[in-house]
Amino acid sequence: MILPHAPLKLVVSGPVGAGKTTFVQTLSQTPVVATETEASEDIGKANTTVAFDFGTLHLDGQELHLYGTPGQDRFSFMWEVLCEGALGLVLLVAGDCPQDFGHARTILDFITSRIPVPFLVGVTRQDQPRVWHPGDVALYFGLPQEQVCGLNATDPQEARTLLAHLLEQTLASRPLA
């Protein structure tokens, strides 16, 4: 008897407004389950994710579950819960909001100090003027340039390219059996 492949899990995290929900919606081949509510404080947008966003993607017969985390600290317990068993993590930062980079670093440190998960940093809003370039964000985070990618989270091709880059990095870092 052949057992079906267990779904793989990819987590998308980052500060409020970085493009997490948009990224999941862009990649998902099924309608995204979103747990959004009206923002109870001024966070720069009307709605905010309070638990997670969930979508699915099929790659060569393998199902990939996409989980977007909330960006607010008060929901930080979800970061660890969602990253448990994850194949990889995409940390998104809005390239035109450098004031949020410190919070993004806090999220990344929180997750990676608890769960050893391969990650990439995605710098969103690359289609906007006056945006930080991925190389500059890599310097800010102290990461190799190949670990930081620029993208427009609404562009399916750019979202798939970032995902492919993370999967390549993940497979390269796994020990041979």
Side-chain angles (χ1 to χ4, degrees), residues 121-132:
V121 174
V123 186
T124 61
R125 303 184 187 171
Q126 291 297 301
D127 58 324
Q128 300 294 314
R130 303 187 61 162
V131 65
W132 280 47

Side-chain angles (χ1 to χ4, degrees), residues 54-102:
F54 174 76
T56 61
L57 176 64
H58 291 84
L59 300 170
D60 294 328
Q62 178 67 55
E63 186 173 30
L64 180 64
H65 288 179
L66 307 166
Y67 290 91
T69 72
Q72 297 178 55
D73 285 338
R74 65 187 173 125
F75 301 116
S76 63
F77 64 94
M78 290 301 296
W79 304 338
E80 185 173 0
V81 169
L82 291 173
C83 286
E84 187 66 42
L87 172 71
L89 168 70
V90 173
L91 180 81
L92 294 180
V93 297
D96 61 349
C97 296
Q99 67 275 13
D100 294 339
F101 291 0

Side-chain angles (χ1 to χ4, degrees), residues 101 131-141 145:
F101 291 0
V131 65
W132 280 47
H133 296 280
D136 297 326
V137 175
L139 286 172
Y140 178 91
F141 278 85
Q145 288 196 14

Side-chain angles (χ1 to χ4, degrees), residues 2-165:
I2 298 175
L3 297 174
H5 293 288
L8 301 174
K9 183 197 294 189
L10 175 74
V11 177
V12 182
S13 196
V16 171
K20 300 175 298 293
T21 299
T22 300
F23 185 79
V24 171
Q25 290 171 338
T26 298
L27 283 175
S28 184
Q29 295 170 327
T30 57
V32 172
V33 175
T35 56
E36 288 195 339
T37 189
E38 279 187 35
S40 61
E41 55 194 83
D42 182 16
I43 58 170
K45 60 182 198 164
N47 293 321
T48 188
T49 300
V50 293
F52 60 86
D53 298 315
F54 174 76
T56 61
L57 176 64
H58 291 84
L59 300 170
D60 294 328
Q62 178 67 55
E63 186 173 30
L64 180 64
H65 288 179
L66 307 166
Y67 290 91
T69 72
Q72 297 178 55
D73 285 338
R74 65 187 173 125
F75 301 116
S76 63
F77 64 94
M78 290 301 296
W79 304 338
E80 185 173 0
V81 169
L82 291 173
C83 286
E84 187 66 42
L87 172 71
L89 168 70
V90 173
L91 180 81
L92 294 180
V93 297
D96 61 349
C97 296
Q99 67 275 13
D100 294 339
F101 291 0
H103 186 236
R105 184 69 207 203
T106 299
I107 294 170
L108 182 63
D109 290 345
F110 180 93
I111 293 170
T112 59
S113 70
R114 288 162 175 78
I115 299 175
V117 61
F119 68 90
L120 282 181
V121 174
V123 186
T124 61
R125 303 184 187 171
Q126 291 297 301
D127 58 324
Q128 300 294 314
R130 303 187 61 162
V131 65
W132 280 47
H133 296 280
D136 297 326
V137 175
L139 286 172
Y140 178 91
F141 278 85
L143 295 171
Q145 288 196 14
E146 61 271 6
Q147 206 164 354
V148 181
C149 303
L151 76 148
N152 171 354
T154 65
D155 184 304
Q157 184 58 47
E158 291 183 22
R160 284 192 294 271
T161 298
L162 186 140
L163 176 61
H165 189 64

